[in-house]
Amino acid sequence: MKIWEDEKQVYIRAAMARNDEEQNRALKHRLDAVDWSVLEQIGRKETVNERGAFAPLSAVEIGEIAKRGEEFCEIGLESIRAGKVGAVLLAGGQGTRLGLDRPKGTLCIGIEKELYLFEQLIRNLMDVTDAAGAFVPLYIMTSNINHDDTVAFFEEHTYFGYPREYVRFFVQEMEPACDFEGRVYMASDTEPAMSPNGNGGWFSSMVRQGLLLDLKERGIEWLNVFAVDNCLQRIADPMFIGATIAYGCESGAKVVKKAEPEEKIGVLCTEDGSPSIAEYYEMTEEMATARHENGELKYAFGVILNYLFSEKRLEAIADAHMPIHVVEKKIPYVDEQGHAVKPEAPNGYKFETLVLDMVHMMRDCLPYEVEREREFAPIKNLHGVDSLDSARELMKGCGIAL
Ligand code: UTP
């Protein structure tokens, strides 16, 4: 049965009742092009996160990094100069908690002057490229929803001084969004509501858009993947790259020491012997509070969405199945009466794969500790925890003029 024949699909059918024949022909065509199997994940949403046996994983801590800093830095800078390092900015999200109707990176984080999130990230990257005396290719993932605005913003601001030929954009795939009953929402009477498919599909999207060739032509061996919303993000950090190489690992994750056992941050550990991330809601109280004899937490290091992956390994796992997470989100839609609704609270599901699941596909992952106050200022909300307000305070603490 076609989805538009299914009586359960009330939003689709109500829209069709309002459309004329030609509109419906186009709508059916659009609906038939979507792979609806993702809706089956709703029934499996409790089991997608069924996990193996977790065990703690110790990190390379700040003290150790300081001792070997020069060595790590030299290895990292050497790789950058040899053109072996690329950076991937994940900017396809919708930033629903922030409530912006434009790309998150266009947010002005300055107070007395104009300073945009994208601009700050480019500055952070240029700290490294200035030191290395070489540029790092930057791949920016967008979605259909924010692609044009993102590219236009970079163009308008002449890439904030970064050479244009080192920047490539690519668009991630979309998945349908539905209510809690699995009824697909409509974005308008002629379009189903589609959302970006999470931040886990970035490498396969790069491959699909022909960027593997670009990686190969440039000789890139390492990709540093990072989130758009951490304005203190150190990108292509030579010490991090150097440490991952020096330890002989095929991936690395920047981590911060947890502020308290209950902190809502995913923890880098092992799962059935392979590196993995236990989300804060997956940790039992016993796990969260377990301590070593010296009093330190056993699961002490949280991830900040800054990973380094070996390009070869990424290619090897490119076709592997990734778990699909069913995530509750606020989804704007057109109701059965034809009214546009902008929900205040989550009203349905989006389907996402997550970059953190990629870590579990690696044979090893180096947990690399960084100072939270220097490198972790995520902007998820306008105010409160992980907000524009808290990020501004942290930036000021780092001496950044706002
Ligand atoms: P979040 O999980 O914070 O999602 O993204 P979000 O869409 O930005 O914000 P909310 O949850 O709707 O408020 C973490 C990082 O992953 C990227 C985001 O742009 C951000 O850099 N991301 C997320 C994508 O690139 N694509 C996605 O589909 C989702």
Side-chain angles (χ1 to χ4, degrees), residues 276-329:
S276 189
I277 289 151
E279 287 281 24
Y280 69 91
Y281 50 81
E282 293 174 319
M283 310 248 298
T284 58
E285 201 190 324
E286 194 188 336
M287 231 177 125
T289 55
R291 290 185 186 272
H292 291 294
E293 272 167 19
N294 63 6
E296 295 279 355
L297 288 175
K298 284 191 175 172
Y299 295 90
F301 294 99
V303 287
I304 60 169
L305 219 173
N306 188 320
Y307 302 103
L308 186 69
F309 293 113
S310 132
E311 192 278 333
K312 270 211 183 78
R313 184 67 183 155
L314 287 168
E315 268 187 68
I317 62 161
D319 295 327
H321 163 81
M322 288 186 78
I324 298 171
H325 297 256
V326 182
V327 197
E328 296 189 6
K329 293 254 182 173

Side-chain angles (χ1 to χ4, degrees), residues 90 92-97 104 141 172 196 198-199 227-228 329 380:
L90 302 175
Q94 289 181 287
T96 50
R97 282 168 285 177
K104 212 178 198 182
M141 182 164 85
Q172 70 175 104
N199 59 25
V228 72
K329 293 254 182 173
K380 301 287 183 192

Side-chain angles (χ1 to χ4, degrees), residues 163-176:
R164 203 181 180 292
E165 63 275 22
Y166 279 88
V167 182
R168 299 288 301 265
F169 295 91
F170 65 102
V171 182
Q172 70 175 104
E173 277 79 47
M174 308 284 278
E175 291 291 357

Side-chain angles (χ1 to χ4, degrees), residues 23 30-31 38 84 91 117 160 170 200 216 236 273 277 318 331 355 357 359 370 389:
Q23 286 169 319
R30 227 164 259 146
L31 294 172
V38 80
K84 293 181 183 169
L117 195 41
F160 301 105
F170 65 102
K216 298 233 177 263
I277 289 151
I331 304 156
V355 64
D357 287 318
V359 170
V370 298
D389 296 345

